[in-house]
Amino acid sequence: MRHPRAGGGPINYVIPPKSQRRSLAAIGERMRHPRAGGGPINYVIPPKSQRCSLAAIGERMRLVAKSSRAGGGPSFLRYCPRGASARKFSEEYVMSAVLNQPPSAPVAAPLHQPSPGLWTLAWRRLKRDKIGMTALVVVLFFLLLMAGSYMGLVAKNWSKEVGVSYANPSFMAGAENLEAAQAAQKDTSAKVPFVDLSDIDPLAPKYEEWAKRTAEIKITDTPRADTLLFGGDKWGRDVIQKAIKGAETSIFVGLIAALLATIIGTVLGAISGYLGGRTGDFLEWFYNVFTSIPYILLILAFAAVFKRGLDTIIFILAFTGWTGIYRLVRAEYIKHASREYVKAAQAIGASHTRRMFVHILPNVSHVCLVQLSQHVVQFIKAEVILSFLGLGVPVDSVSWGTMLAEAQSELVIGKWWQLVAASVSMALLVTAFSMLTDSLRDALDPKIK
Amino acid sequence: MGAYILRRIGQMVPTLAGVMLLIFVLFNAVGGDPALVLAGKITNKEQIENIRKQLGVDQPWYVQMGYFGFEVATGFTCTWRSFTEKPEPPKSEARADAKPEAKPDTKAAPKATPPSGCQAVRSWATNEEVPKILATRIGPTLSIMIPVLVLETIIAIFLAIGVAYVRGTLTDRMIMMICTVAMSISFLVYIIVAQYYFGFKWGVFPVQGWSDNFWKNMANYAPLPIMLAIFVGLAPALRLYRSFFLDEINSDYVRTARAKGLSENKVLLKHVMRNAMIPIITNVGIAVPSLFVGSFLLESFFSIPGLGREILVAVNRSDFPVIKAATVYLAMITMIINLMVDITYKAIDPRVTFK
């Protein structure tokens, strides 16, 4: 095996399989990835330029590099253990990683291309996945829509009554609209024939003054459109704008609630899986309590107690939906807690918190990401149902769920557009999100190359 | 085996205590003053104080917790207050002056007061006895949900084994694609559309309703909700079961079975199926407890007087006793079913041993 430093001390090199012999990148990746596992620990010294990104390899590698640079013969690792137990590990783990490198050897690395990390590789795999990329584009489009609607760039006037009641979609302008006709008729019939009562009306002298004051107030009678692009609702609001505003609400609730649930699940799962013992037992009990109540019932019980509102529904979804994530993250942490790289981290004196969230977390973060995107889908669906039942968003805002609630009675009188607008936009987003989740899971699976 | 079951039952005790604690904290600490909820628009301080006294929320929290524990222990058939303070007028009368607009028939004194003075926990909204409410609502729910679970599982298993057999082909990919799209449409949309077409437009089934006659229900009112639930549940079940079958279908034992000349049917239905049944049973076991809650959406759309609808109504009316009782009961049922599912494993997989 060729190496610029050939002739150096005994170095444990990984001999890559034939297919990967082109670059050392593959070795680098194996090294970074504790899950790739297997075999003796073999390390490659990273080039200077990469030294800051070494976190993934583990702090001990950085120390190895440092100590060998510091010079002084066969560089056994010099470190400052914080605890006595660290010393115990020094021989077992750290020394095996020491590279007996002559201090004078240049750290030149023409062969060391930047080795791709898990995320770079996953991104590469995702880029090759056509379905995944299409789904990603759709999801990003919806997210942009949400941001635009939040900042008031699109669908700002969703609550304006721009059309007649149940305005027809423009592609079926000819269809009759009984509701609008009826409303128009009511307007004209409301003008009752004038009867002169001025002799007995005590308010008569004031009429002139009032008429003058009324004239001062400008009344602009906005013409109401007979047709809207995709029809209007009962109050003549544009259904497309409503769907966009509804998307904002539903996606916002789904995203924030999923993010919160992932954080709760990950933190509790990490503590329970890593520490185990009494703390682990307590958290397991907590988990059992939440899972022994059927999920729907748990949500309803929470909804019964709290007041209605956007923040409440986010809290309810997050606080009842963390259990699945907890279970998976806990299992990952149990697996990782006994791995060598964690013990090595202990050897150099990393605290429990640092080991849990700086060393292990990057290695289980792909599980969290997949769970996050899965829960976004789940929570968007849940939000729609809760809002439909009137347990979700407040009345003055719109969500896909409230649109469906209106659509139920509209369908009976033949106004199908609001139902179609809400369900198609929701189906599009949820399909794209589920496909993206599947592609992400495949792309982040270290076993698939 | 016996020791295993005993140990599992022992483990249920702290979990149940936890559930009770959660419910207690949720409804008594977070839920605000129930008297205010119950009084509605009444602002008379004396009346509110009266309701508070009646509900026992004027007591310190540990006494209230004691009440709740006693109620759970007696299965909500006894309230501690009615048990200890016999001479006090029945709950319903005190409620009558607090809420004058309540219907006169709900104010009627309890007819079936047990001789011991033991009086069941009553719903805040209707003054019905909570155990009675739950008992009468469970029937309709189960008569919808049991056919759904059984049919859905059987259909999904056979479809999944077929799809797994033709894995990787265009058919397989198309079906999986359709499943993904079908899953992304909200359950609400399916119900609204099906109710409109089958019930309103074509008149194949009644739009909604329920009767006292079981057979009439099953023939008339149940088929549409049952078919809807199966249709909606099929897509996720099919996807999941297909992956279970795929895990098994490439195993060595399948190759061996083929090598020794077994027919494809025998390989699939006997060898593959038995192994894939284990995760499937787990999955069905997870779904069983939700049988009792039922599909509250279906029940409220089709006016089925089931448990799910009752809970939903209770949530909308802030009828805490009903929600509390339903939650505690269903948590108990869930735990017992989970134990039963674990025991079933033994029957299906001889490799399973109880530790």
Side-chain angles (χ1 to χ4, degrees):
Chain A
M1 190 173 156
R2 285 203 178 183
H3 196 277
R5 282 199 313 280
I11 300 176
N12 285 334
Y13 284 117
V14 177
I15 301 202
K18 233 175 198 167
S19 56
Q20 289 172 10
R21 207 161 276 172
R22 242 175 297 142
S23 73
L24 280 177
I27 305 172
E29 201 228 339
R30 256 184 77 181
M31 290 251 347
R32 272 156 186 264
H33 214 286
R35 272 191 315 282
I41 326 167
N42 301 296
Y43 292 107
V44 175
I45 294 223
K48 231 179 194 166
S49 59
Q50 273 180 32
R51 210 156 276 164
C52 51
S53 70
L54 276 177
I57 300 188
E59 271 170 54
R60 64 183 149 158
M61 279 306 301
R62 210 179 306 165
L63 278 162
V64 169
K66 209 201 261 170
S67 71
S68 58
R69 230 181 327 140
S75 53
F76 292 107
L77 193 61
R78 283 175 213 103
Y79 61 93
C80 317
R82 271 189 223 156
S85 60
R87 201 155 289 156
K88 200 181 85 196
F89 281 108
S90 66
E91 280 169 35
E92 246 179 274
Y93 295 100
V94 184
M95 301 246 294
S96 70
V98 165
L99 300 173
N100 202 355
Q101 185 195 11
S104 55
V107 201
L111 263 181
H112 296 305
Q113 301 151 355
S115 53
L118 172 70
W119 298 102
T120 323
L121 278 178
W123 173 238
R124 265 185 219 163
R125 277 184 226 134
L126 191 63
K127 267 200 288 194
R128 264 176 303 188
D129 185 351
K130 271 187 200 143
I131 295 177
M133 283 313 278
T134 319
L136 184 65
V137 169
V138 176
V139 169
L140 285 180
F141 171 74
F142 269 95
L143 289 181
L144 274 180
L145 211 57
M146 180 190 116
S149 148
Y150 183 74
M151 292 185 296
L153 298 177
V154 280
K156 195 174 152 194
N157 301 323
W158 70 273
S159 56
K160 279 233 176 92
E161 299 169 3
V162 287
V164 294
S165 179
Y166 296 120
N168 284 321
S170 30
F171 50 83
M172 36 185 287
E176 64 174 347
N177 188 348
L178 289 174
E179 281 70 25
Q182 216 172 20
Q185 212 173 12
K186 220 181 257 170
D187 282 350
T188 51
S189 64
K191 285 168 189 159
V192 283
F194 184 71
V195 183
D196 191 17
L197 295 170
S198 50
D199 46 341
I200 51 163
D201 191 350
L203 294 174
K206 295 199 170 176
Y207 281 153
E208 205 174 315
E209 192 201 333
W210 287 345
K212 221 194 243 166
R213 266 159 71 176
T214 324
E216 275 167 26
I217 298 164
K218 259 189 211 156
I219 301 171
T220 45
D221 199 13
T222 38
R224 291 191 166 216
D226 276 336
T227 58
L228 292 168
L229 192 56
F230 202 74
D233 69 356
K234 192 179 171 189
W235 294 275
R237 295 183 293 193
D238 191 344
V239 160
I240 291 186
Q241 298 216 358
K242 264 183 97 176
I244 293 174
K245 200 68 191 172
E248 183 206 318
T249 315
S250 298
I251 301 172
F252 179 76
V253 169
L255 269 182
I256 303 294
L259 205 62
L260 275 177
T262 312
I263 291 172
I264 298 175
T266 307
V267 170
L268 293 186
I271 295 170
S272 167
Y274 178 82
L275 292 179
R278 284 275 166 86
T279 326
D281 286 346
F282 173 75
L283 285 171
E284 276 295 276
W285 169 79
F286 197 58
Y287 165 84
N288 279 332
V289 167
F290 270 81
T291 47
S292 63
I293 303 172
Y295 184 58
I296 306 164
L297 196 54
L298 193 62
I299 289 189
L300 289 181
F302 272 77
V305 171
F306 291 98
K307 290 182 189 69
R308 316 276 180 263
L310 210 59
D311 44 349
T312 316
I313 186 169
I314 291 175
F315 167 79
I316 292 175
L317 287 174
F319 205 66
T320 54
W322 57 271
T323 47
I325 305 166
Y326 164 85
R327 188 108 217 119
L328 284 174
V329 172
R330 178 176 175 268
E332 287 290 319
Y333 265 81
I334 290 176
K335 220 162 62 187
H336 278 268
S338 55
R339 290 272 165 90
E340 286 150 349
Y341 76 99
V342 182
K343 291 190 171 158
Q346 187 186 1
I348 57 169
S351 68
H352 279 304
T353 326
R354 193 170 169 79
R355 264 175 274 162
M356 266 153 65
F357 296 110
V358 178
H359 292 265
I360 305 182
L361 190 61
N363 291 312
V364 301
S365 53
H366 64 287
V367 177
C368 304
L369 185 74
V370 171
Q371 284 302 308
L372 175 71
S373 87
Q374 220 169 37
H375 278 75
V376 172
V377 172
Q378 196 189 323
F379 287 164
I380 286 177
K381 284 173 154 182
E383 187 274 333
V384 166
I385 289 178
L386 285 180
S387 294
F388 178 87
L389 295 171
L391 303 173
V393 296
V395 248
D396 55 340
S397 58
V398 60
S399 101
W400 286 333
T402 56
M403 283 179 78
L404 287 178
E406 288 173 19
Q408 194 197 356
S409 51
E410 287 176 11
L411 193 60
V412 183
I413 53 170
K415 316 290 175 192
W416 47 266
W417 34 90
Q418 180 147 238
L419 175 78
V420 171
S423 41
V424 166
S425 47
M426 183 186 161
L428 196 64
L429 173 71
V430 172
T431 309
F433 228 118
S434 326
M435 284 177 168
L436 182 64
T437 309
D438 287 349
S439 298
L440 265 182
R441 185 185 298 135
D442 289 347
L444 284 167
D445 191 343
K447 283 174 213 138
I448 303 172
K449 275 283 146 74
Chain B
M1 174 99 174
Y4 171 78
I5 294 174
L6 274 181
R7 208 164 49 84
R8 281 288 298 267
I9 291 172
Q11 285 168 352
M12 284 177 196
V13 175
T15 311
L16 188 63
V19 170
M20 281 166 58
L21 192 69
L22 177 70
I23 298 299
F24 181 80
V25 169
L26 203 56
F27 285 96
N28 289 50
V30 187
D33 192 347
L36 289 179
V37 177
L38 202 59
K41 285 177 185 144
I42 301 171
T43 45
N44 186 335
K45 271 213 177 116
E46 210 171 294
Q47 282 181 342
I48 289 177
E49 206 47 49
N50 209 354
I51 302 175
R52 285 174 60 87
K53 208 172 167 193
Q54 199 53 54
L55 297 175
V57 285
D58 53 337
Q59 306 281 339
W61 64 271
Y62 48 87
V63 179
Q64 293 187 42
M65 212 161 173
Y67 289 162
F68 182 51
F70 182 79
E71 285 165 6
V72 173
T74 56
F76 293 91
T77 51
C78 258
T79 48
W80 179 248
R81 291 179 69 82
S82 70
F83 199 63
T84 48
E85 297 159 29
K86 227 194 232 168
E88 241 193 42
K91 198 177 191 176
S92 47
E93 270 176 39
R95 270 187 46 76
D97 59 45
K99 229 183 173 184
E101 71 270 31
K103 281 185 200 157
D105 57 309
T106 57
K107 284 188 283 185
K111 289 157 210 155
T113 312
S116 63
C118 184
Q119 205 184 336
V121 178
R122 281 165 188 277
S123 152
W124 287 352
T126 62
N127 210 23
E128 270 181 286
E129 291 178 3
V130 172
K132 214 181 256 173
I133 294 181
L134 299 184
T136 51
R137 302 298 191 272
I138 197 82
T141 296
L142 287 183
S143 60
I144 295 283
M145 293 310 279
I146 288 179
V148 168
L149 187 72
V150 173
L151 289 174
E152 184 194 298
T153 310
I154 294 172
I155 296 173
I157 286 176
F158 283 99
L159 281 181
I161 205 167
V163 176
Y165 188 66
V166 295
R167 65 196 172 278
T169 61
L170 190 66
T171 328
D172 174 35
R173 272 178 303 175
M174 284 302 287
I175 292 178
M176 283 308 108
M177 192 73 193
I178 291 170
C179 280
T180 311
V181 176
M183 276 162 68
S184 67
I185 299 172
S186 179
F187 193 13
L188 291 168
V189 178
Y190 286 112
I191 301 180
I192 293 173
V193 172
Q195 206 174 27
Y196 175 68
Y197 279 105
F198 287 97
F200 179 73
K201 204 130 199 210
W202 301 335
V204 187
F205 300 104
V207 174
Q208 48 174 234
W210 201 252
S211 72
D212 289 333
N213 184 331
F214 176 77
W215 296 111
K216 194 183 171 203
N217 285 337
M218 292 316 276
N220 255 328
Y221 299 114
L224 186 55
I226 290 179
M227 277 176 358
L228 260 174
I230 292 174
F231 182 76
V232 173
L234 209 52
L238 182 58
R239 266 174 66 107
L240 195 64
Y241 295 176
R242 172 181 169 272
S243 70
F244 294 155
F245 281 116
L246 283 186
D247 284 344
E248 298 296 334
I249 218 160
N250 290 323
S251 308
D252 287 344
Y253 71 85
V254 177
R255 203 178 350 156
T256 314
R258 287 205 178 108
K260 71 181 185 187
L262 287 184
S263 69
E264 271 311 300
N265 278 343
K266 217 162 197 177
V267 172
L268 286 181
L269 295 182
K270 222 165 169 187
H271 291 239
V272 176
M273 178 90 99
R274 271 198 85 173
N275 282 291
M277 271 323 267
I278 294 161
I280 291 178
I281 291 280
T282 312
N283 208 52
V284 174
I286 291 169
V288 168
S290 60
L291 276 190
F292 293 89
V293 193
S295 171
F296 61 97
L297 279 182
L298 279 176
E299 286 175 8
S300 50
F301 267 98
F302 290 96
S303 309
I304 300 164
L307 205 53
R309 198 175 75 130
E310 195 59 38
I311 292 167
L312 203 58
V313 168
V315 168
N316 277 325
R317 294 199 284 222
S318 298
D319 195 350
F320 290 176
V322 176
I323 311 173
K324 270 158 121 177
T327 315
V328 173
Y329 277 147
L330 285 165
M332 282 185 203
I333 292 175
T334 309
M335 284 185 266
I336 292 167
I337 289 173
N338 285 345
L339 175 61
M340 273 156 47
V341 169
D342 286 354
I343 295 170
T344 323
Y345 280 139
K346 179 84 180 160
I348 291 170
D349 190 356
R351 290 168 298 182
V352 170
T353 47
F354 295 126
K355 279 184 279 177

